Amino acid sequence: MPDPSSRGEPSRSQPERELTEPVSLTRSDGSLNPAAVGFARTPLVDTSGIDGRHRWGRNKRWEYWNVMTPTHIVAITVSSLDYAAVHEVWVFERAGERSWGKSVTVVPARDVDLPRSHGSGPVIAKARDLAVALTPGADSWRLFAEIPEASVDITVTRPPAHECLAVVVPWSSKRFQYTVKDVALPASGVITIEGEEHPVPSGSWAVLDHGRGRWPYDVRWNWGAGAGVEGERTIGIQVGGKWTDGTGSTENGIVIDGVLHKISTPVAWEYDLARPLDPWRVHGGGLDATFTPFYDKRSAMNLGVVSSRTDQCFGVWEGEFAGVAFSGIEGFAEDVHNRW
């Protein structure tokens, strides 16, 4: 039977406030600024207040990039949790299902530089046998990462007027999260494995997850994303769940030809963690999508104070949104439980 926590219909639909002007995430005392609660189509929120001066130990700052190519999958994580830095570089060869990866936890956090707000500077991380440099440009990012036996040098471009989904999730005045999900970004470059270069071919897509906030200690979430071309339309999928429940915010939206169509309804997720490669279904708010996985990237970590368990499945989305049918949209869906 499906995991009971992965079932159920969306409980409500309510309009979310759209932000159109720059705003600070925090007040001067470090608490949530109510004027920041809502969603935006561009990264308008100043998160410089998430700097450890207020409520040390609960500040979470990260950048995650996922790049799916017809031949490989790349995932890069740089994060700081005040008391620890947690980084990962992972390269997956689709044909042979071989992978090369390195995960590092540094206590206390050091040798990591995360910009105060989205796009305001480079992301740098250095640790044991791992180096990452994520450099923003005017309409692009350069993603460089190196681990033993593998490296990536990828350029991600932003099409003109391309919209993202930026959302503030308010658990309380002391616990809140700002996230920027940017999907359907074209990627090019090279992946080097064991000395052999593999060009990143046309039809490769990148997804960004940028986050700044103050989290509860124990959180579980769903996240799904994908990108591809249906006919002459470029489709980007962005769906989430669990962690936003009861907050009045959602991180759900479909990007069609660079235009965000926000879904303010909490979508329902149906899947079975005992059989993660069985199809997943996500539906609600005009979306009815089936995700069929081909690989489960499962990871777990338990350091006592900090622990995590992740099932991130890679596969193909198909379905319909508001009368627009899509299929062959490659991406991922995940179930994560973190204590941090």
Side-chain angles (χ1 to χ4, degrees):
M1 293 294 291
D3 179 350
S5 65
S6 70
R7 303 177 65 188
E9 294 293 331
S11 61
R12 69 193 187 286
S13 176
Q14 64 184 56
E16 295 173 84
R17 183 161 60 101
E18 181 171 353
L19 306 175
T20 58
E21 299 291 337
V23 63
S24 173
L25 178 62
T26 56
R27 291 170 161 169
S28 59
D29 64 356
S31 63
L32 173 65
N33 177 10
V37 177
F39 81 94
R41 301 170 187 273
T42 59
L44 294 172
V45 176
D46 175 2
T47 57
S48 58
I50 306 299
D51 58 6
R53 291 180 300 172
H54 300 280
R55 299 175 180 88
W56 187 93
R58 302 263 41 96
N59 297 281
K60 317 298 182 186
R61 300 172 288 269
W62 72 83
E63 308 287 331
Y64 171 81
W65 281 96
N66 175 269
V67 181
M68 289 197 71
T69 88
T71 57
H72 295 82
I73 303 172
V74 173
I76 303 170
T77 302
V78 175
S79 69
S80 174
L81 313 179
D82 280 348
Y83 49 85
V86 182
H87 315 309
E88 182 182 26
V89 176
W90 182 73
V91 179
F92 179 75
E93 177 191 77
R94 296 176 61 167
E97 292 198 351
R98 297 188 300 162
S99 65
W100 297 260
K102 181 73 176 180
S103 299
V104 179
T105 301
V106 182
V107 180
R110 61 185 181 275
D111 297 325
V112 57
D113 189 3
L114 288 153
R116 294 162 66 88
S117 294
H118 180 279
S120 63
V123 176
I124 306 293
K126 295 181 180 180
R128 296 181 297 275
D129 295 324
L130 176 149
V132 175
L134 312 175
T135 307
D139 294 299
S140 65
W141 293 263
R142 182 186 179 194
L143 315 181
F144 175 82
E146 186 174 29
I147 58 174
E149 300 185 316
S151 66
V152 301
D153 193 346
I154 295 173
T155 297
V156 178
T157 57
R158 168 176 292 281
H162 185 88
E163 297 179 347
C164 66
L165 173 55
V167 177
V168 172
V169 176
W171 293 295
S172 72
S173 64
K174 297 180 180 180
R175 300 286 180 263
F176 45 89
Q177 169 62 34
Y178 175 62
T179 181
V180 177
K181 298 294 198 297
D182 215 347
V183 300
L185 300 171
S188 61
V190 64
I191 299 168
T192 304
I193 301 173
E194 297 177 348
E196 181 180 355
E197 293 188 351
H198 304 269
V200 175
S202 176
S204 301
W205 302 96
V207 174
L208 167 65
D209 177 19
H210 161 98
R212 302 290 188 271
R214 297 199 179 96
W215 281 65
Y217 174 62
D218 194 320
V219 183
R220 185 173 177 181
W221 71 79
N222 291 124
W223 179 28
V229 176
E230 178 67 43
E232 296 183 354
R233 287 175 158 171
T234 299
I235 304 292
I237 297 171
Q238 163 55 44
V239 286
K242 291 189 176 71
W243 72 288
T244 58
D245 290 352
T247 65
S249 296
T250 76
E251 57 166 359
N252 303 321
I254 304 297
V255 178
I256 302 175
D257 291 334
V259 177
L260 171 69
H261 301 264
K262 183 68 172 72
I263 301 173
S264 292
T265 299
V267 298
W269 289 70
E270 298 177 4
Y271 58 95
D272 185 355
L273 272 185
R275 301 173 61 90
L277 296 182
D278 284 357
W280 300 39
R281 185 183 176 212
V282 180
H283 58 97
L287 174 68
D288 193 345
T290 298
F291 174 76
T292 303
F294 60 74
Y295 184 78
D296 180 16
K297 180 180 182 288
R298 193 173 201 280
S299 59
M301 172 186 69
N302 191 342
L303 300 177
V305 174
V306 177
S307 67
S308 66
R309 190 274 310 150
T310 298
D311 282 90
Q312 184 182 27
C313 293
F314 294 91
V316 179
W317 292 92
E318 63 178 337
E320 183 181 57
F321 172 71
V324 176
F326 54 85
S327 62
I329 305 299
E330 293 196 327
F332 57 85
E334 68 181 23
D335 180 296
V336 180
H337 185 191
N338 273 3
R339 291 188 297 116
W340 57 359

